[in-house]
Every structure is written in C-alpha cells, then in structure tokens.
C-alpha cells in the first residue's frame, strides 16, 4: 500500500471564499471583502489600485459567498459522507478580532469556529486550520499599513495565543500563512499592501515578508508551548519551474525563479535567511529592518511539516517576447507546448507534482502535506444539480497517481492530501463562482443569483471510493 494508514484525505476551503456573513456575528471588514469581481480585481489584488470601502458600482462576491457561515453543518455532513479524514479551513481574523488590534477577542467569532470544529469532531474529521488565508482586518490596513508595520507581528501573536488556547484539544494541525509567497505576486490580497507612486515596492514587500516570517516563527513557538501535540506547517504556492530551453541563461533564470519561492520555506523550515537571498537583496538595495531577537526566533522555531498548493508547473525564460506575453498574470505562465490546459489557461502537469514533491523533500527532509490541488472548470448541472464531471475526475486521478509514485517509488513521507474547493466556492484570482473545483455543486452564479442549494457531482462518489480504498482504486466508472 502506497499511502500511510493514517493518511489524511480531505478537502480545503478558505473563510472569505465560502463563509459569507461578512457583517454578522460582530465580524469586522477585511481586505478580502473589498475585492470585486471584474476587470478592476487584478489591479486591486496586486496593490496598484486602492479600494478600501464597498462601492455600489461593483459586485463583491465574498459578502455572501456560498453562505457556509449558516450552512456549515450541512456541508460538513456531506464531507463526512465522502469519508473525509480531514477538512482544511481558515479562520477569518476579523471574526475573532474585528479590528485586529483589540486586547480582547470577539466571543461570537470564537464560538463560531468552536462549533465548526465540534461538528468536525462528531464525524472524526481532523481540522487542518489555516490561521490566515489572505485576510487582514481593514482597520490594520488603514491604521498601520498592514504587514508593512512591525506592529502586525504583535497583533498576529495575540490572535495565535487566543486560538491555540481556545481550540486546544479540538485542533492540532495549523498552517501559519496561506501561500506566503503570494505577498510578492498579489500583495493586497496576500498581505493587505498597497503602494503609492514612487515607493520602493520590493523593499516594502520583503520587509512585510520578514514580519510575516517572524510572526510565523512566534506562532510556531506558542503552538508548541500551549500543546505539545500541535503540529505547525508553512504553506507555499508551489509548482516547479522548467527552463523554456536548455540555453544556460534559461536554466539560470529557472533556478532563480524557484529560489524566489523557496526563499520563504528556506527561512521557515531551515530557520535562516539563505545566502543567495541576502546577496540578492544587497544587490537590489533592499535593507531589512530587524530586531536583535528576530534571527534567533527564526532559528529556534522552524515548522514541523511542509504544506503547499500545486496546480501547475511553471516556465522560466529569458526571451523578451515570451516574457511580454505573460505580463499581467499572477504567476508568469509561458505556454508549455507539451501540456494541455484548463479553461482558464492553467496548464495540466501531473508529473510536475511529483517533481515538485521531490524538490521540496530533497530540500527540507520534512513530511509534506498537499493542501491544495484541483481543476477549476465550468460545470453544467442537469435539473437535479448533478454534474458529470469526468474532466475533474481525470485531473485528480492523474495527480493522485503522481503523488502515489512520489510516495511509493521515491520514498516521500506524505501526511495527506486536501483538494481545493471541495465544495464550489468563489475564485480567489477572478472572483468568479463559475470557476468550480468542487465535488459538491452550489447553485450560485457570478452575479450572485441562485438558490445556494448543494448537490453531489459524479466526482463526489468517485472521491468517496478513492478515500475508502486509501487511494488504491482511482478508476472512473
Ligand atoms: P483560483 C493563483 C495562482 C496559484 C494559487 O485559485 C492561487 C492563485 C490565486 O488565484 O491561489 C490559491 O481561485 C489559493 C486559493 C485559490 C486557489 O489557489 O484563482 O490558496 O485561495 O482559490 C485557486 O482559481
């Protein structure tokens, strides 16, 4: 058998993409609420255009999302029916600290997640909790400039202290920051950063990243102190880079592109800034402000496991024409002529998952956890809400086969696998509802119309069987 007996099969969601209830239970506003669907979304999530309030001219899909705030019992029951061993979800920071800088937490917010975890416990589902999945309270953005400010470390620390104590015994798997490298690619969505004309954007991003890295180390420290059972992971938007050609310059560009991402995990897992990063910052004139204890904290409190999302491999090139074509994408994505792609142009590369896993395992020698993987596609339900999503089954089966190879043939220690958007939810990149990843269909469209009724897709029954056989039977009947 390829996978360990206690392999954690499941699915993943994020608070802002599924909960809705944005102004209920005393919740405060966050960056992830004020990002509309439409062509303004990209300049906003990348911090180029400021939007700090709702504007009636736009539609904000996160306000209601799929209303999981009110329907979580029904949804968790469906996850249990599929046999989930784990459910990855995130906390909305602004439910627990509506402004972010209060001394005392909001009891209603804390109670909400306690109820969710108890619901999971009822079915023997182990929660895997992302402490922040892109969200930052708006008040912290307006008053302190979000993660630009060192003060955020203290506010995040308060959040961690509260949740680790409150959920002791209910939760033991924690991720500190979702896709921590997203701060470089979508800095407003990822870390609440916006930039003024003429500012040194790189300096600000790396300083903010330093604050997150220190905050992550502190979180790890407290988690271990509060409960020795706690396991803390980092989380990377992963996807190995390939050189576009074997031209040495392309190979070098590829090495640099991988390092740009691995840099974060080098700090979180090895406990120190890698020399190549320090040198590059020096050359770019980036000067990090640090407190004397920072490096010691980073060294002493490294993560227990390495988690990551994987959707696709990437391509690195030095060809100016090709580079031109990729401007305006969150991740540069030159087309790989050997791969097919999704309806959103994301290239499909199961073997790339095995390569990525090997890269990470060679580099860190810590257990891996795949916490996001899946296919965003248009689904066409019949009148009962049933979707014949063979394309999704095929994508997932190929990726599970690749991870099986990585475990069985390469000897990688893999803790679990949670598919992204196990129930249809709002897309982070585009704000669309029609870009669906789920085993469970949700009746809602891009404009917010629909009954929100849930129904099972073909992949629901398929994934149930995959879990039942611990990944042995991947056939699509
Ligand atoms: P959507 C871009 C590239 C890689 C991962 O993405 C990304 C993104 C952001 O779009 O984010 C992760 O919804 C993220 C999830 C997100 C998921 O990938 O744009 O952790 O919040 O929904 C899929 O199709």
């Amino acid at each position: 058998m390829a996978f360990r007996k206690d392999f954690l099969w499941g699915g993943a969601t994020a608070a802002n993409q599924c909960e809705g209830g944005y102004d209920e239970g005393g919740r405060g506003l966050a960056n992830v609420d004020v990002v509309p669907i439409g062509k303004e979304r990209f300049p906003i999530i990348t911090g180029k255009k400021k939007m700090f309030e709702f504007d009636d001219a736009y539609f904000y899909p996160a306000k209601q999302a799929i209303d999981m705030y009110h329907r979580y019992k029904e949804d968790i029951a469906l996850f249990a029916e599929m046999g989930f061993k784990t459910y990855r979800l995130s906390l909305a920071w602004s439910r627990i600290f509506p402004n972010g800088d209060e001394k005392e937490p909001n009891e209603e917010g804390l109670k909400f997640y306690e109820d969710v975890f108890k619901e999971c416990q009822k079915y023997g589902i182990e929660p895997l909790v992302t402490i922040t999945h892109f969200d930052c309270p708006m008040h912290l953005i307006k008053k302190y400039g979000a993660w630009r400010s060192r003060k955020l470390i203290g506010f995040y620390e308060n959040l961690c202290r509260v949740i680790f104590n409150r959920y002791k015994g209910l939760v033991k798997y924690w991720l500190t920051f979702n896709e921590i490298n997203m701060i470089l690619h979508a800095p407003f969505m990822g870390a609440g950063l916006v930039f003024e004309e003429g500012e040194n954007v790189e300096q600000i991003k790396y300083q903010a990243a330093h604050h997150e890295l220190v905050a992550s180390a502190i979180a790890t420290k407290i988690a271990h102190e509060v409960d020795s059972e706690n396991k803390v992971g980092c989380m990377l938007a992963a996807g190995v880079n390939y050189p576009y050609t074997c031209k040495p310059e392309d190979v070098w560009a590829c090495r640099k592109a991988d390092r740009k991402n691995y840099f974060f995990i080098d700090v979180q897992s090895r406990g120190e800034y890698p020399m190549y990063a320090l040198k590059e910052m020096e050359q770019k004139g980036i000067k990090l402000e640090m407190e004397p204890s920072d490096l010691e904290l980073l060294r002493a409190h490294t993560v227990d496991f390495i988690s990551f999302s994987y959707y696709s491999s990437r391509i690195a090139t030095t060809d100016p024409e090709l580079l031109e074509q990729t401007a305006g994408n969150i991740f540069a994505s030159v087309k790989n002529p050997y791969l097919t792609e999704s309806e959103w142009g994301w290239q499909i590369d199961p073997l790339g998952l095995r390569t990525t896993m090997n890269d990470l395992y060679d580099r860190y020698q810590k257990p891996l956890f795949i916490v996001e993987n899946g296919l965003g596609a248009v689904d066409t339900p019949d009148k009962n809400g049933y979707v014949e999503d063979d394309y999704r089954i095929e994508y997932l089966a190929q990726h599970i086969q690749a991870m099986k190879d990585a475990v069985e043939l390469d000897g990688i220690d893999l803790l679990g696998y949670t598919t992204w958007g196990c129930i249809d939810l709002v897309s982070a990149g585009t704000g669309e509802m029609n870009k669906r990843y789920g085993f469970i269909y949700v009746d809602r469209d891009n404009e917010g119309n629909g009954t929100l009724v849930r129904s099972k897709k073909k992949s629901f029954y398929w994934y149930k069987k995959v879990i039942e056989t611990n990944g042995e039977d991947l056939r699509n009947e």
Side-chain angles (χ1 to χ4, degrees):
M1 176 167 293
F3 299 112
R4 33 199 297 169
K5 265 210 198 67
D6 57 355
F7 193 80
L8 291 166
W9 293 99
T13 62
N16 74 88
Q17 292 172 255
C18 64
E19 278 178 13
Y22 78 102
D23 60 353
E24 292 179 60
R27 183 184 180 282
L29 212 59
N31 57 339
V32 286
D33 301 324
V34 292
V35 286
I37 187 171
K39 66 174 177 7
E40 303 292 337
R41 189 174 180 94
F42 192 73
I44 291 169
I45 65 179
T46 50
K48 297 196 178 94
K49 185 187 158 92
K50 229 187 211 177
M51 189 174 281
F52 284 0
E53 322 279 342
F54 293 123
D55 175 336
D56 286 344
Y58 298 91
F59 177 64
Y60 298 88
K63 276 185 164 179
Q64 194 188 12
I66 59 159
D67 193 37
M68 210 192 244
Y69 186 65
H70 298 108
R71 296 165 197 248
Y72 68 90
K73 288 192 177 156
E74 180 191 349
D75 295 340
I76 293 170
L78 287 165
F79 300 157
E81 193 183 326
M82 269 185 282
F84 278 23
K85 313 284 182 210
T86 187
Y87 168 42
R88 174 178 177 230
L89 71 158
S90 81
L91 307 174
W93 188 345
S94 63
R95 277 199 196 286
I96 298 174
F97 286 96
N99 283 327
D101 61 358
E102 299 93 337
K103 288 221 155 42
E104 296 304 321
N106 170 31
E107 174 54 32
E108 235 184 307
L110 280 173
K111 178 76 170 50
F112 170 68
Y113 292 111
E114 185 180 330
D115 291 345
V116 170
F117 300 144
K118 286 192 170 148
E119 199 64 22
C120 291
Q121 200 177 43
K122 226 164 83 179
Y123 300 103
I125 296 175
E126 184 76 53
L128 165 60
V129 176
T130 320
I131 299 169
T132 55
H133 190 120
F134 295 155
D135 59 322
C136 183
M138 271 323 287
H139 174 74
L140 296 184
I141 296 173
K142 290 183 184 164
K143 185 155 178 203
Y144 307 96
W147 285 96
R148 283 172 182 246
S149 164
R150 194 172 170 97
K151 286 216 165 70
L152 270 272
I153 300 177
F155 302 139
Y156 183 89
E157 180 177 341
N158 287 345
L159 172 70
C160 289
R161 221 176 268 289
V162 165
I163 60 177
F164 294 151
N165 283 296
R166 175 69 175 247
Y167 304 130
K168 186 174 170 173
L170 281 172
V171 178
K172 64 176 193 234
Y173 288 96
W174 304 92
L175 307 178
T176 52
F177 289 90
N178 181 62
E179 298 192 335
I180 190 162
N181 50 327
M182 200 53 99
I183 194 172
L184 302 178
H185 307 279
F188 181 66
M189 181 169 74
L193 303 177
V194 285
F195 307 100
E196 306 296 339
E197 264 318 295
E199 276 191 324
N200 184 344
V201 171
E202 292 282 294
Q203 167 72 37
I204 294 162
K205 285 197 228 173
Y206 279 95
Q207 185 64 52
H210 176 71
H211 295 148
E212 289 194 347
L213 290 166
V214 173
S216 175
I218 293 174
T220 309
K221 172 175 184 278
I222 303 171
H224 290 154
E225 283 166 3
V226 170
D227 188 348
S228 60
E229 290 279 296
N230 275 333
K231 300 260 178 274
V232 183
C234 51
M235 199 305 199
L236 178 75
V240 65
N241 280 280
Y242 301 148
Y244 190 68
T245 70
C246 52
K247 193 170 141 195
E249 283 77 6
D250 277 359
V251 175
W252 181 242
C254 178
R255 174 68 60 91
K256 287 197 12 178
D258 274 338
R259 279 177 165 177
K260 198 172 167 184
N261 295 316
Y262 293 150
F263 152 73
F264 292 88
I265 311 306
D266 286 353
V267 179
Q268 289 176 293
S269 180
R270 292 167 161 172
E272 53 186 53
Y273 273 85
M275 195 47 83
Y276 67 81
L278 293 174
K279 283 293 181 190
E280 190 167 337
M281 285 189 223
E282 197 181 294
Q283 287 146 35
K284 286 186 170 161
I286 297 171
K287 287 200 182 65
L288 293 185
E289 272 176 45
M290 296 195 192
E291 304 246 310
S293 60
D294 287 1
L295 294 179
E296 188 39 43
L297 280 168
L298 294 175
R299 189 169 307 120
H301 307 289
T302 57
V303 290
D304 302 308
F305 65 93
I306 313 289
S307 89
F308 62 97
S309 61
Y310 177 85
Y311 294 91
S312 181
S313 53
R314 300 163 189 161
I315 289 213
T317 174
T318 49
D319 182 327
E321 253 172 63
L322 286 172
L323 282 171
E324 182 72 15
Q325 294 167 17
T326 65
N329 283 317
I330 288 191
F331 282 98
S333 55
V334 172
K335 294 290 169 230
N336 183 330
Y338 303 99
L339 299 177
T340 58
E341 58 182 32
S342 78
E343 290 159 285
W344 272 264
W346 291 25
Q347 298 174 78
I348 301 177
D349 183 8
L351 183 53
L353 171 59
R354 181 173 171 191
T355 309
T356 302
M357 291 173 74
N358 276 273
D359 258 14
L360 290 168
Y361 201 63
D362 285 353
R363 205 170 171 108
Y364 305 116
Q365 287 121 31
K366 288 188 186 176
L368 304 183
F369 204 141
I370 302 171
V371 298
E372 285 184 31
N373 173 237
L375 179 71
V378 175
D379 286 337
T380 314
D382 68 14
K383 63 178 191 316
N384 302 315
Y386 182 74
V387 181
E388 196 117 12
D389 54 347
D390 295 296
Y391 38 92
R392 183 168 294 108
I393 294 173
E394 191 190 353
Y395 176 101
L396 294 171
Q398 288 173 349
H399 285 77
I400 295 172
Q401 184 57 50
M403 83 185 187
K404 197 190 258 184
D405 292 344
V407 169
E408 212 163 26
L409 307 176
D410 308 329
I412 287 175
D413 185 10
L414 183 66
L415 298 174
Y417 175 74
T418 59
T419 65
W420 176 248
C422 44
I423 179 167
D424 292 347
L425 40 64
V426 177
S427 157
T430 70
E432 290 162 295
M433 197 53 227
N434 287 350
K435 189 181 185 190
R436 298 170 185 275
Y437 289 87
F439 304 115
I440 300 163
Y441 186 83
V442 177
D443 179 32
R444 182 172 165 88
D445 67 16
N446 287 348
E447 286 76 44
N449 309 304
T451 60
L452 292 165
V453 164
R454 277 74 164 139
S455 54
K456 301 169 198 170
K457 304 181 194 176
K458 186 176 181 189
S459 56
F460 182 100
Y461 303 98
W462 172 82
Y463 196 48
K464 183 176 192 302
K465 185 189 63 183
V466 171
I467 298 176
E468 247 163 35
T469 62
N470 200 20
E472 286 302 308
D473 188 353
L474 302 178
R475 282 171 309 151
N476 177 22
E477 275 136 10

